[in-house]
Amino acid sequence: MQSAGDAFSRYEDCFRNFDEISKIEKGNYLYLDATGNLKVSKTDQTSTSGSWGASLSKTVTNLTSGATGVKSDWQSVAKRIDSLNEEVTEILKDMEANPSRYRDDIKLHELSIKLITAKRGLDNLSKLYQEQQKSSWIASKALYKAEAAMKFDQQSHLLEENRQRIENFINQKGKEREPQNDDEDLAASAFGFLDEEELAPYTGKLDESFFLVQESNSKPIVTHLSESPQVSFIEKALSQKLHTLSLNELKSMGRTLERELKQAKGNEERILKASRTLKAELKLRVEAFKDFKHDFDKALKANDRKTIHTLIADLPPGLISEPKVARLIQSLPESYRETALKDLSSLQIVTAQRKINVVQETEDEVTPPSDQQIRGAAILLHHQLNSNLEESYRTGDFEKNHELVKHLADNLLAADIWLKSEDRHPHMQTTLATAYRQLSEYYREVGDKESFEESLMKIGNIQIVPSHPLGDLKRVASRTQKDAEWVQVDGTEVRRRQVRVQLKAVTTPQEGKQQFLDLSFTLPRKERADFQARLKVLDGSPSFREQGITIDRFAKAEYPEYSFPKGAFKGAWDEKRIVVNTGDALVIRDKSNKISVTIGNDIEKWNQYQKVSVQVDPKVTSQELHEFLSTIGLPMVLLESRPEDIHHENTARVAFARHPVEMAFYESPEECYQNSVENPANSNLSATDAKAIVDRAKAMRLKDVGNNRLEYVDDQNVVEFWASGGRGFGATLGHSGVTFNLYEIYLHGGTYKKQKIENSALTMAYILKGGQLSSMERFEKGIVGGGCCPDENVETGSANQVFTRPLTDNQFDSEHDWGNYAIEGNIFLLFDATLAERLPYGYTKDRAGLRNPHHISKKAVRMAQKELPEKGLTGELMRERQPLPQILENQRRSDLTLPTAEVMFEDTIGASYIYGAVVQTEEEKASVIRVLNEQGIDNIGGKPLDEAIFVGKLSPKMIKNPFEL
């Protein structure tokens, strides 16, 4: 049997041939040289024969060549491409049959890249032949051209199929092999990339280097972190909630530790310690499942319902949501669920009796089930309720099942109130809240106000457990005194499932400070509209008045300046304070004035219109805050995410990234899912497109992307970015606006003003310490100055985005002058290509990061743009969004001297993505290094400043390859 190395050595010539294919464009000839390899010859377009040949568009054949052994007919070329495809197919078969030999090999990434670029060349070739066929006036030649076009199109499709197989393999890490038994299935679901030998830890043979890949040629995408935030967040998760982590989460952590160990710099022991903890937990999980499965099968065969319920009740938290366990529970006959319903129905009666004191210790009182019975019944019915909710999510038809959902939810709510927090299903409360939220929306739409309010009240009755990230506001306040952190919560009402939390202080006239906890988040488009509709109903209800809730409809959304000397935001009494006003707002307050909720009320100020800010007295409990938010129509904010919520979010993000034009105007992840995965034809997508979206979403992993922000990232998007010619991202520092003052134009050498290099360097130092921030994030921190055009961005919806320029290989090869970008400055930051893992959105032209579908620009043209005047921006231009590979393709093919493509990233870009910067002169470099040293910075990503800061135009030496250590 051949080794992976032998197999890949056979492909060196294939790689070279694929490179040649990728160069095909109009006016180029593809032919076979004397050695049988494909070659491209570029026609001299300036010569008479060259321009004549190009006009005839022979494309494949070069009939003037008289060299010995050269084959110039398209059939010979196509035959050679067929042989290349056969070779690729053979290596893929070996790869799938022997996955451990190919794990993490850099050549898999290279092969994927080659296939993408070669496919692009074959697509061009096929299109050129189609054009020739249409323009040919001789029937036989037209038929000849049509046959060639069809052949190259078929070969292009085969290349894509093979590339998809590689992508699936990289995502699954060998998971395609069929399990031999249920125990192995569970282990494989935890670490799908492990082979039989590496599964040894499950039998007790713990190896200290469990996550260490032995092959010397294995090179993963690297993150270039000198201090790894990834290890820190894994250590935190393992210490705080190890037993509630799912196997899928443990799998993701294992792969991250494996990646980190390969590039460890002095923290190997920390990584190995976390690895040992992870392995020990995995071993316990697998043994627990083996015991559960054995006893479950035995009891089911004997139809022993009591034992089945007991076994389910005794499941450890980390196994309850494991897909294999879920399938076992869902496979139970209906009679088991009926028994569970009976148990919880009797619990409802007991709860009601005790609540209204109908009976007291009499023989008429219903005997409640045992805690174990309640837990077993609740877990079983939770799976049924969750299944019904998922069906509604997929189909968009909630009305069909709403009565069953209410019945199940009411019974589970009784169990939730009865059980201790440690005895509940880890996701039961969020599932319950999701059910009641959907019921509330259903009742609102049909006009049943009483049931609508009752459903929201029931969500408020759900108990927030202390282990929740926001379950203890005092603990949260102490944790966020120095800086904000991002907490992941339910994905229904909160965009990206991210809530920004920070303990803030405002100065008082007595030179003191008044503290409050600030929670801010963004509502998805549909949820913002639904909230408006909910608030309209609630505002007219007696319960609002009874609870003393007030609404100020004439407020402003304001962000005060931060006083660094005082360590607090400047209070309203301070006459010198500067305040950023982002538009009209509603402010909703509770009776005690200890909780206030601010939300934008001007749809033209899109960022603020979607944003919710909650200010809370730290003495308020999480339960009180949850009840208040539920009462005003925001019931899901303090609930934890379920695996389903994470998958829905990731699926929507992948769909938006891969098909931005088709997804541009869908208003929720649910709508996106239904029209990309369930019914792809609705969005002109294929079943293959839908499968690719789901596969990519499943392969995403959790990562600290900077500033304590955890986000699911897509490694494969980095591969596609690199394969499409992307080499990183850039951002200009030092821009200081536009001037028409003649003296300033003379001083700055144009209409664009620049800061002093020392000021730009100081900004760079802040970025290296805390990441690059969006306008809205700067406002949150009290940094009220800076930015290019924050006013316009608040309107277009991009004020919560960090703007970058995509950098392509041709810009480095041609030594592009970065000073020619639309926004001028004196420092050009360089971001690693791995930044593409965050699935950004973008445009091929400057569109101010447009995200507001209702936007109508008041300006004919933006002065910061070095382009010919265009019509003003409107929301309809969101259809101009392009996937990242297409943006790069346009920039590379057009060879733009003024590239105006823009790519945006949510909220912040962590400093770990920065690997260097470019300045214009050696004197400026010296100034930048001096300022950075004064700020305590002597390296960027582990590289000395002298090596990380470049001078002049872009050049190939400035490229950072993410596939090399």
Side-chain angles (χ1 to χ4, degrees), residues 413 432-434 436-437 440 454-463 623 626 630 635-636 639:
L413 183 59
L432 258 179
T434 302
Y436 282 123
R437 184 191 177 282
S440 71
E454 181 185 18
S455 297
L456 292 178
M457 180 190 70
K458 287 179 177 177
I459 301 178
N461 288 337
I462 294 173
Q463 300 299 302
Q623 191 62 39
H626 171 60
S630 298
M636 305 295 292
L639 292 162

mmCIF file with all atom_site columns, all heavy atoms in Angstrom, residues 413 432-434 436-437 440 454-463 623 626 630 635-636 639:
data_model
loop_
_atom_site.group_PDB
_atom_site.id
_atom_site.type_symbol
_atom_site.label_atom_id
_atom_site.label_alt_id
_atom_site.label_comp_id
_atom_site.label_asym_id
_atom_site.label_entity_id
_atom_site.label_seq_id
_atom_site.pdbx_PDB_ins_code
_atom_site.Cartn_x
_atom_site.Cartn_y
_atom_site.Cartn_z
_atom_site.occupancy
_atom_site.B_iso_or_equiv
_atom_site.pdbx_formal_charge
_atom_site.auth_seq_id
_atom_site.auth_comp_id
_atom_site.auth_asym_id
_atom_site.auth_atom_id
_atom_site.pdbx_PDB_model_num
ATOM 1   N N   . LEU A 1 413 ? -42.582 23.243 32.479 1.00 0.00 ? 413 LEU A N   1
ATOM 2   C CA  . LEU A 1 413 ? -42.425 24.387 33.368 1.00 0.00 ? 413 LEU A CA  1
ATOM 3   C C   . LEU A 1 413 ? -42.648 23.973 34.822 1.00 0.00 ? 413 LEU A C   1
ATOM 4   O O   . LEU A 1 413 ? -41.931 24.431 35.728 1.00 0.00 ? 413 LEU A O   1
ATOM 5   C CB  . LEU A 1 413 ? -43.394 25.503 32.986 1.00 0.00 ? 413 LEU A CB  1
ATOM 6   C CG  . LEU A 1 413 ? -43.273 26.795 33.808 1.00 0.00 ? 413 LEU A CG  1
ATOM 7   C CD1 . LEU A 1 413 ? -41.878 27.388 33.678 1.00 0.00 ? 413 LEU A CD1 1
ATOM 8   C CD2 . LEU A 1 413 ? -44.332 27.807 33.371 1.00 0.00 ? 413 LEU A CD2 1
ATOM 9   N N   . LEU A 1 432 ? -37.649 25.643 26.890 1.00 0.00 ? 432 LEU A N   1
ATOM 10  C CA  . LEU A 1 432 ? -38.928 26.107 27.429 1.00 0.00 ? 432 LEU A CA  1
ATOM 11  C C   . LEU A 1 432 ? -39.212 27.546 26.994 1.00 0.00 ? 432 LEU A C   1
ATOM 12  O O   . LEU A 1 432 ? -40.305 27.867 26.527 1.00 0.00 ? 432 LEU A O   1
ATOM 13  C CB  . LEU A 1 432 ? -38.889 26.047 28.955 1.00 0.00 ? 432 LEU A CB  1
ATOM 14  C CG  . LEU A 1 432 ? -39.600 24.890 29.654 1.00 0.00 ? 432 LEU A CG  1
ATOM 15  C CD1 . LEU A 1 432 ? -39.401 25.014 31.152 1.00 0.00 ? 432 LEU A CD1 1
ATOM 16  C CD2 . LEU A 1 432 ? -41.080 24.877 29.319 1.00 0.00 ? 432 LEU A CD2 1
ATOM 17  N N   . ALA A 1 433 ? -38.221 28.417 27.183 1.00 0.00 ? 433 ALA A N   1
ATOM 18  C CA  . ALA A 1 433 ? -38.394 29.822 26.832 1.00 0.00 ? 433 ALA A CA  1
ATOM 19  C C   . ALA A 1 433 ? -38.636 29.985 25.334 1.00 0.00 ? 433 ALA A C   1
ATOM 20  O O   . ALA A 1 433 ? -39.452 30.815 24.907 1.00 0.00 ? 433 ALA A O   1
ATOM 21  C CB  . ALA A 1 433 ? -37.169 30.618 27.258 1.00 0.00 ? 433 ALA A CB  1
ATOM 22  N N   . THR A 1 434 ? -37.930 29.192 24.528 1.00 0.00 ? 434 THR A N   1
ATOM 23  C CA  . THR A 1 434 ? -38.128 29.247 23.072 1.00 0.00 ? 434 THR A CA  1
ATOM 24  C C   . THR A 1 434 ? -39.561 28.858 22.713 1.00 0.00 ? 434 THR A C   1
ATOM 25  O O   . THR A 1 434 ? -40.201 29.487 21.852 1.00 0.00 ? 434 THR A O   1
ATOM 26  C CB  . THR A 1 434 ? -37.137 28.309 22.365 1.00 0.00 ? 434 THR A CB  1
ATOM 27  O OG1 . THR A 1 434 ? -35.799 28.669 22.712 1.00 0.00 ? 434 THR A OG1 1
ATOM 28  C CG2 . THR A 1 434 ? -37.299 28.371 20.857 1.00 0.00 ? 434 THR A CG2 1
ATOM 29  N N   . TYR A 1 436 ? -42.301 29.101 24.646 1.00 0.00 ? 436 TYR A N   1
ATOM 30  C CA  . TYR A 1 436 ? -43.238 30.155 25.064 1.00 0.00 ? 436 TYR A CA  1
ATOM 31  C C   . TYR A 1 436 ? -43.077 31.418 24.227 1.00 0.00 ? 436 TYR A C   1
ATOM 32  O O   . TYR A 1 436 ? -44.059 32.141 23.984 1.00 0.00 ? 436 TYR A O   1
ATOM 33  C CB  . TYR A 1 436 ? -43.046 30.474 26.546 1.00 0.00 ? 436 TYR A CB  1
ATOM 34  C CG  . TYR A 1 436 ? -43.689 29.461 27.468 1.00 0.00 ? 436 TYR A CG  1
ATOM 35  C CD1 . TYR A 1 436 ? -42.936 28.788 28.425 1.00 0.00 ? 436 TYR A CD1 1
ATOM 36  C CD2 . TYR A 1 436 ? -45.049 29.160 27.365 1.00 0.00 ? 436 TYR A CD2 1
ATOM 37  C CE1 . TYR A 1 436 ? -43.520 27.849 29.264 1.00 0.00 ? 436 TYR A CE1 1
ATOM 38  C CE2 . TYR A 1 436 ? -45.641 28.218 28.206 1.00 0.00 ? 436 TYR A CE2 1
ATOM 39  C CZ  . TYR A 1 436 ? -44.867 27.564 29.153 1.00 0.00 ? 436 TYR A CZ  1
ATOM 40  O OH  . TYR A 1 436 ? -45.448 26.643 29.980 1.00 0.00 ? 436 TYR A OH  1
ATOM 41  N N   . ARG A 1 437 ? -41.861 31.675 23.784 1.00 0.00 ? 437 ARG A N   1
ATOM 42  C CA  . ARG A 1 437 ? -41.687 32.846 22.922 1.00 0.00 ? 437 ARG A CA  1
ATOM 43  C C   . ARG A 1 437 ? -42.420 32.646 21.595 1.00 0.00 ? 437 ARG A C   1
ATOM 44  O O   . ARG A 1 437 ? -43.077 33.556 21.092 1.00 0.00 ? 437 ARG A O   1
ATOM 45  C CB  . ARG A 1 437 ? -40.195 33.092 22.659 1.00 0.00 ? 437 ARG A CB  1
ATOM 46  C CG  . ARG A 1 437 ? -39.934 34.348 21.849 1.00 0.00 ? 437 ARG A CG  1
ATOM 47  C CD  . ARG A 1 437 ? -38.508 34.442 21.368 1.00 0.00 ? 437 ARG A CD  1
ATOM 48  N NE  . ARG A 1 437 ? -38.318 35.618 20.556 1.00 0.00 ? 437 ARG A NE  1
ATOM 49  C CZ  . ARG A 1 437 ? -38.690 35.727 19.289 1.00 0.00 ? 437 ARG A CZ  1
ATOM 50  N NH1 . ARG A 1 437 ? -39.279 34.714 18.672 1.00 0.00 ? 437 ARG A NH1 1
ATOM 51  N NH2 . ARG A 1 437 ? -38.485 36.852 18.617 1.00 0.00 ? 437 ARG A NH2 1
ATOM 52  N N   . SER A 1 440 ? -46.009 33.083 22.276 1.00 0.00 ? 440 SER A N   1
ATOM 53  C CA  . SER A 1 440 ? -46.386 34.494 22.449 1.00 0.00 ? 440 SER A CA  1
ATOM 54  C C   . SER A 1 440 ? -46.537 35.191 21.104 1.00 0.00 ? 440 SER A C   1
ATOM 55  O O   . SER A 1 440 ? -47.471 35.979 20.901 1.00 0.00 ? 440 SER A O   1
ATOM 56  C CB  . SER A 1 440 ? -45.356 35.217 23.324 1.00 0.00 ? 440 SER A CB  1
ATOM 57  O OG  . SER A 1 440 ? -44.128 35.403 22.639 1.00 0.00 ? 440 SER A OG  1
ATOM 58  N N   . GLU A 1 454 ? -49.481 36.130 28.984 1.00 0.00 ? 454 GLU A N   1
ATOM 59  C CA  . GLU A 1 454 ? -49.277 34.981 29.863 1.00 0.00 ? 454 GLU A CA  1
ATOM 60  C C   . GLU A 1 454 ? -48.034 34.197 29.446 1.00 0.00 ? 454 GLU A C   1
ATOM 61  O O   . GLU A 1 454 ? -47.261 33.745 30.300 1.00 0.00 ? 454 GLU A O   1
ATOM 62  C CB  . GLU A 1 454 ? -50.509 34.071 29.823 1.00 0.00 ? 454 GLU A CB  1
ATOM 63  C CG  . GLU A 1 454 ? -50.394 32.849 30.737 1.00 0.00 ? 454 GLU A CG  1
ATOM 64  C CD  . GLU A 1 454 ? -51.560 31.896 30.586 1.00 0.00 ? 454 GLU A CD  1
ATOM 65  O OE1 . GLU A 1 454 ? -52.280 31.972 29.564 1.00 0.00 ? 454 GLU A OE1 1
ATOM 66  O OE2 . GLU A 1 454 ? -51.736 31.042 31.475 1.00 0.00 ? 454 GLU A OE2 1
ATOM 67  N N   . SER A 1 455 ? -47.814 34.049 28.134 1.00 0.00 ? 455 SER A N   1
ATOM 68  C CA  . SER A 1 455 ? -46.644 33.316 27.649 1.00 0.00 ? 455 SER A CA  1
ATOM 69  C C   . SER A 1 455 ? -45.355 34.032 28.041 1.00 0.00 ? 455 SER A C   1
ATOM 70  O O   . SER A 1 455 ? -44.379 33.397 28.467 1.00 0.00 ? 455 SER A O   1
ATOM 71  C CB  . SER A 1 455 ? -46.714 33.152 26.123 1.00 0.00 ? 455 SER A CB  1
ATOM 72  O OG  . SER A 1 455 ? -47.843 32.383 25.746 1.00 0.00 ? 455 SER A OG  1
ATOM 73  N N   . LEU A 1 456 ? -45.333 35.374 27.914 1.00 0.00 ? 456 LEU A N   1
ATOM 74  C CA  . LEU A 1 456 ? -44.150 36.133 28.323 1.00 0.00 ? 456 LEU A CA  1
ATOM 75  C C   . LEU A 1 456 ? -43.927 36.016 29.830 1.00 0.00 ? 456 LEU A C   1
ATOM 76  O O   . LEU A 1 456 ? -42.785 35.910 30.298 1.00 0.00 ? 456 LEU A O   1
ATOM 77  C CB  . LEU A 1 456 ? -44.303 37.603 27.927 1.00 0.00 ? 456 LEU A CB  1
ATOM 78  C CG  . LEU A 1 456 ? -44.282 37.915 26.426 1.00 0.00 ? 456 LEU A CG  1
ATOM 79  C CD1 . LEU A 1 456 ? -44.498 39.403 26.196 1.00 0.00 ? 456 LEU A CD1 1
ATOM 80  C CD2 . LEU A 1 456 ? -42.981 37.466 25.780 1.00 0.00 ? 456 LEU A CD2 1
ATOM 81  N N   . MET A 1 457 ? -45.021 36.027 30.594 1.00 0.00 ? 457 MET A N   1
ATOM 82  C CA  . MET A 1 457 ? -44.900 35.909 32.041 1.00 0.00 ? 457 MET A CA  1
ATOM 83  C C   . MET A 1 457 ? -44.316 34.553 32.423 1.00 0.00 ? 457 MET A C   1
ATOM 84  O O   . MET A 1 457 ? -43.504 34.458 33.353 1.00 0.00 ? 457 MET A O   1
ATOM 85  C CB  . MET A 1 457 ? -46.275 36.074 32.683 1.00 0.00 ? 457 MET A CB  1
ATOM 86  C CG  . MET A 1 457 ? -46.273 35.980 34.217 1.00 0.00 ? 457 MET A CG  1
ATOM 87  S SD  . MET A 1 457 ? -47.937 35.880 34.902 1.00 0.00 ? 457 MET A SD  1
ATOM 88  C CE  . MET A 1 457 ? -48.415 34.223 34.350 1.00 0.00 ? 457 MET A CE  1
ATOM 89  N N   . LYS A 1 458 ? -44.701 33.508 31.720 1.00 0.00 ? 458 LYS A N   1
ATOM 90  C CA  . LYS A 1 458 ? -44.174 32.180 32.024 1.00 0.00 ? 458 LYS A CA  1
ATOM 91  C C   . LYS A 1 458 ? -42.672 32.107 31.775 1.00 0.00 ? 458 LYS A C   1
ATOM 92  O O   . LYS A 1 458 ? -41.942 31.433 32.502 1.00 0.00 ? 458 LYS A O   1
ATOM 93  C CB  . LYS A 1 458 ? -44.916 31.117 31.210 1.00 0.00 ? 458 LYS A CB  1
ATOM 94  C CG  . LYS A 1 458 ? -46.340 30.867 31.702 1.00 0.00 ? 458 LYS A CG  1
ATOM 95  C CD  . LYS A 1 458 ? -47.051 29.825 30.864 1.00 0.00 ? 458 LYS A CD  1
ATOM 96  C CE  . LYS A 1 458 ? -48.445 29.532 31.424 1.00 0.00 ? 458 LYS A CE  1
ATOM 97  N NZ  . LYS A 1 458 ? -49.197 28.558 30.590 1.00 0.00 ? 458 LYS A NZ  1
ATOM 98  N N   . ILE A 1 459 ? -42.195 32.812 30.735 1.00 0.00 ? 459 ILE A N   1
ATOM 99  C CA  . ILE A 1 459 ? -40.740 32.849 30.522 1.00 0.00 ? 459 ILE A CA  1
ATOM 100 C C   . ILE A 1 459 ? -40.072 33.545 31.698 1.00 0.00 ? 459 ILE A C   1
ATOM 101 O O   . ILE A 1 459 ? -39.016 33.126 32.181 1.00 0.00 ? 459 ILE A O   1
ATOM 102 C CB  . ILE A 1 459 ? -40.388 33.567 29.201 1.00 0.00 ? 459 ILE A CB  1
ATOM 103 C CG1 . ILE A 1 459 ? -41.045 32.873 28.008 1.00 0.00 ? 459 ILE A CG1 1
ATOM 104 C CG2 . ILE A 1 459 ? -38.865 33.606 29.010 1.00 0.00 ? 459 ILE A CG2 1
ATOM 105 C CD1 . ILE A 1 459 ? -40.785 33.542 26.683 1.00 0.00 ? 459 ILE A CD1 1
ATOM 106 N N   . GLY A 1 460 ? -40.697 34.610 32.190 1.00 0.00 ? 460 GLY A N   1
ATOM 107 C CA  . GLY A 1 460 ? -40.154 35.305 33.341 1.00 0.00 ? 460 GLY A CA  1
ATOM 108 C C   . GLY A 1 460 ? -40.092 34.444 34.583 1.00 0.00 ? 460 GLY A C   1
ATOM 109 O O   . GLY A 1 460 ? -39.266 34.670 35.471 1.00 0.00 ? 460 GLY A O   1
ATOM 110 N N   . ASN A 1 461 ? -40.975 33.420 34.664 1.00 0.00 ? 461 ASN A N   1
ATOM 111 C CA  . ASN A 1 461 ? -40.984 32.513 35.822 1.00 0.00 ? 461 ASN A CA  1
ATOM 112 C C   . ASN A 1 461 ? -39.853 31.490 35.771 1.00 0.00 ? 461 ASN A C   1
ATOM 113 O O   . ASN A 1 461 ? -39.571 30.824 36.765 1.00 0.00 ? 461 ASN A O   1
ATOM 114 C CB  . ASN A 1 461 ? -42.323 31.770 35.903 1.00 0.00 ? 461 ASN A CB  1
ATOM 115 C CG  . ASN A 1 461 ? -43.455 32.690 36.331 1.00 0.00 ? 461 ASN A CG  1
ATOM 116 O OD1 . ASN A 1 461 ? -43.218 33.723 36.964 1.00 0.00 ? 461 ASN A OD1 1
ATOM 117 N ND2 . ASN A 1 461 ? -44.689 32.342 35.976 1.00 0.00 ? 461 ASN A ND2 1
ATOM 118 N N   . ILE A 1 462 ? -39.215 31.340 34.608 1.00 0.00 ? 462 ILE A N   1
ATOM 119 C CA  . ILE A 1 462 ? -38.094 30.402 34.501 1.00 0.00 ? 462 ILE A CA  1
ATOM 120 C C   . ILE A 1 462 ? -36.938 30.919 35.345 1.00 0.00 ? 462 ILE A C   1
ATOM 121 O O   . ILE A 1 462 ? -36.566 32.091 35.265 1.00 0.00 ? 462 ILE A O   1
ATOM 122 C CB  . ILE A 1 462 ? -37.670 30.234 33.024 1.00 0.00 ? 462 ILE A CB  1
ATOM 123 C CG1 . ILE A 1 462 ? -38.789 29.559 32.236 1.00 0.00 ? 462 ILE A CG1 1
ATOM 124 C CG2 . ILE A 1 462 ? -36.381 29.436 32.909 1.00 0.00 ? 462 ILE A CG2 1
ATOM 125 C CD1 . ILE A 1 462 ? -38.544 29.501 30.739 1.00 0.00 ? 462 ILE A CD1 1
ATOM 126 N N   . GLN A 1 463 ? -36.376 30.050 36.149 1.00 0.00 ? 463 GLN A N   1
ATOM 127 C CA  . GLN A 1 463 ? -35.336 30.456 37.093 1.00 0.00 ? 463 GLN A CA  1
ATOM 128 C C   . GLN A 1 463 ? -33.967 30.532 36.405 1.00 0.00 ? 463 GLN A C   1
ATOM 129 O O   . GLN A 1 463 ? -33.528 29.580 35.759 1.00 0.00 ? 463 GLN A O   1
ATOM 130 C CB  . GLN A 1 463 ? -35.265 29.464 38.254 1.00 0.00 ? 463 GLN A CB  1
ATOM 131 C CG  . GLN A 1 463 ? -36.567 29.346 39.041 1.00 0.00 ? 463 GLN A CG  1
ATOM 132 C CD  . GLN A 1 463 ? -36.990 30.662 39.669 1.00 0.00 ? 463 GLN A CD  1
ATOM 133 O OE1 . GLN A 1 463 ? -36.240 31.246 40.458 1.00 0.00 ? 463 GLN A OE1 1
ATOM 134 N NE2 . GLN A 1 463 ? -38.179 31.137 39.321 1.00 0.00 ? 463 GLN A NE2 1
ATOM 135 N N   . GLN A 1 623 ? -32.434 37.260 38.364 1.00 0.00 ? 623 GLN A N   1
ATOM 136 C CA  . GLN A 1 623 ? -33.832 36.853 38.232 1.00 0.00 ? 623 GLN A CA  1
ATOM 137 C C   . GLN A 1 623 ? -34.743 38.069 38.075 1.00 0.00 ? 623 GLN A C   1
ATOM 138 O O   . GLN A 1 623 ? -35.657 38.068 37.243 1.00 0.00 ? 623 GLN A O   1
ATOM 139 C CB  . GLN A 1 623 ? -34.276 36.036 39.450 1.00 0.00 ? 623 GLN A CB  1
ATOM 140 C CG  . GLN A 1 623 ? -35.624 35.347 39.280 1.00 0.00 ? 623 GLN A CG  1
ATOM 141 C CD  . GLN A 1 623 ? -35.614 34.325 38.146 1.00 0.00 ? 623 GLN A CD  1
ATOM 142 O OE1 . GLN A 1 623 ? -34.642 33.616 37.947 1.00 0.00 ? 623 GLN A OE1 1
ATOM 143 N NE2 . GLN A 1 623 ? -36.701 34.272 37.386 1.00 0.00 ? 623 GLN A NE2 1
ATOM 144 N N   . HIS A 1 626 ? -34.250 39.364 34.575 1.00 0.00 ? 626 HIS A N   1
ATOM 145 C CA  . HIS A 1 626 ? -34.899 38.468 33.614 1.00 0.00 ? 626 HIS A CA  1
ATOM 146 C C   . HIS A 1 626 ? -36.417 38.694 33.591 1.00 0.00 ? 626 HIS A C   1
ATOM 147 O O   . HIS A 1 626 ? -37.029 38.754 32.518 1.00 0.00 ? 626 HIS A O   1
ATOM 148 C CB  . HIS A 1 626 ? -34.587 37.015 33.975 1.00 0.00 ? 626 HIS A CB  1
ATOM 149 C CG  . HIS A 1 626 ? -35.368 36.003 33.203 1.00 0.00 ? 626 HIS A CG  1
ATOM 150 N ND1 . HIS A 1 626 ? -35.307 35.892 31.827 1.00 0.00 ? 626 HIS A ND1 1
ATOM 151 C CD2 . HIS A 1 626 ? -36.247 35.041 33.618 1.00 0.00 ? 626 HIS A CD2 1
ATOM 152 C CE1 . HIS A 1 626 ? -36.107 34.923 31.421 1.00 0.00 ? 626 HIS A CE1 1
ATOM 153 N NE2 . HIS A 1 626 ? -36.688 34.407 32.489 1.00 0.00 ? 626 HIS A NE2 1
ATOM 154 N N   . SER A 1 630 ? -38.507 40.084 30.360 1.00 0.00 ? 630 SER A N   1
ATOM 155 C CA  . SER A 1 630 ? -39.612 39.283 29.834 1.00 0.00 ? 630 SER A CA  1
ATOM 156 C C   . SER A 1 630 ? -40.895 40.109 29.777 1.00 0.00 ? 630 SER A C   1
ATOM 157 O O   . SER A 1 630 ? -41.665 40.036 28.809 1.00 0.00 ? 630 SER A O   1
ATOM 158 C CB  . SER A 1 630 ? -39.839 38.042 30.708 1.00 0.00 ? 630 SER A CB  1
ATOM 159 O OG  . SER A 1 630 ? -38.699 37.205 30.700 1.00 0.00 ? 630 SER A OG  1
ATOM 160 N N   . PRO A 1 635 ? -37.651 38.465 26.298 1.00 0.00 ? 635 PRO A N   1
ATOM 161 C CA  . PRO A 1 635 ? -37.582 37.382 27.290 1.00 0.00 ? 635 PRO A CA  1
ATOM 162 C C   . PRO A 1 635 ? -36.401 36.435 27.170 1.00 0.00 ? 635 PRO A C   1
ATOM 163 O O   . PRO A 1 635 ? -36.148 35.657 28.090 1.00 0.00 ? 635 PRO A O   1
ATOM 164 C CB  . PRO A 1 635 ? -38.894 36.627 27.038 1.00 0.00 ? 635 PRO A CB  1
ATOM 165 C CG  . PRO A 1 635 ? -39.152 36.819 25.581 1.00 0.00 ? 635 PRO A CG  1
ATOM 166 C CD  . PRO A 1 635 ? -38.680 38.207 25.277 1.00 0.00 ? 635 PRO A CD  1
ATOM 167 N N   . MET A 1 636 ? -35.652 36.477 26.066 1.00 0.00 ? 636 MET A N   1
ATOM 168 C CA  . MET A 1 636 ? -34.648 35.441 25.834 1.00 0.00 ? 636 MET A CA  1
ATOM 169 C C   . MET A 1 636 ? -33.220 35.879 26.139 1.00 0.00 ? 636 MET A C   1
ATOM 170 O O   . MET A 1 636 ? -32.289 35.086 26.051 1.00 0.00 ? 636 MET A O   1
ATOM 171 C CB  . MET A 1 636 ? -34.708 34.980 24.372 1.00 0.00 ? 636 MET A CB  1
ATOM 172 C CG  . MET A 1 636 ? -36.077 34.503 23.903 1.00 0.00 ? 636 MET A CG  1
ATOM 173 S SD  . MET A 1 636 ? -36.625 33.012 24.740 1.00 0.00 ? 636 MET A SD  1
ATOM 174 C CE  . MET A 1 636 ? -35.471 31.813 24.100 1.00 0.00 ? 636 MET A CE  1
ATOM 175 N N   . LEU A 1 639 ? -30.900 33.902 28.680 1.00 0.00 ? 639 LEU A N   1
ATOM 176 C CA  . LEU A 1 639 ? -30.933 32.442 28.607 1.00 0.00 ? 639 LEU A CA  1
ATOM 177 C C   . LEU A 1 639 ? -29.758 31.927 27.786 1.00 0.00 ? 639 LEU A C   1
ATOM 178 O O   . LEU A 1 639 ? -29.316 32.571 26.837 1.00 0.00 ? 639 LEU A O   1
ATOM 179 C CB  . LEU A 1 639 ? -32.254 31.973 28.007 1.00 0.00 ? 639 LEU A CB  1
ATOM 180 C CG  . LEU A 1 639 ? -33.454 32.250 28.926 1.00 0.00 ? 639 LEU A CG  1
ATOM 181 C CD1 . LEU A 1 639 ? -34.748 32.189 28.146 1.00 0.00 ? 639 LEU A CD1 1
ATOM 182 C CD2 . LEU A 1 639 ? -33.489 31.267 30.080 1.00 0.00 ? 639 LEU A CD2 1
#
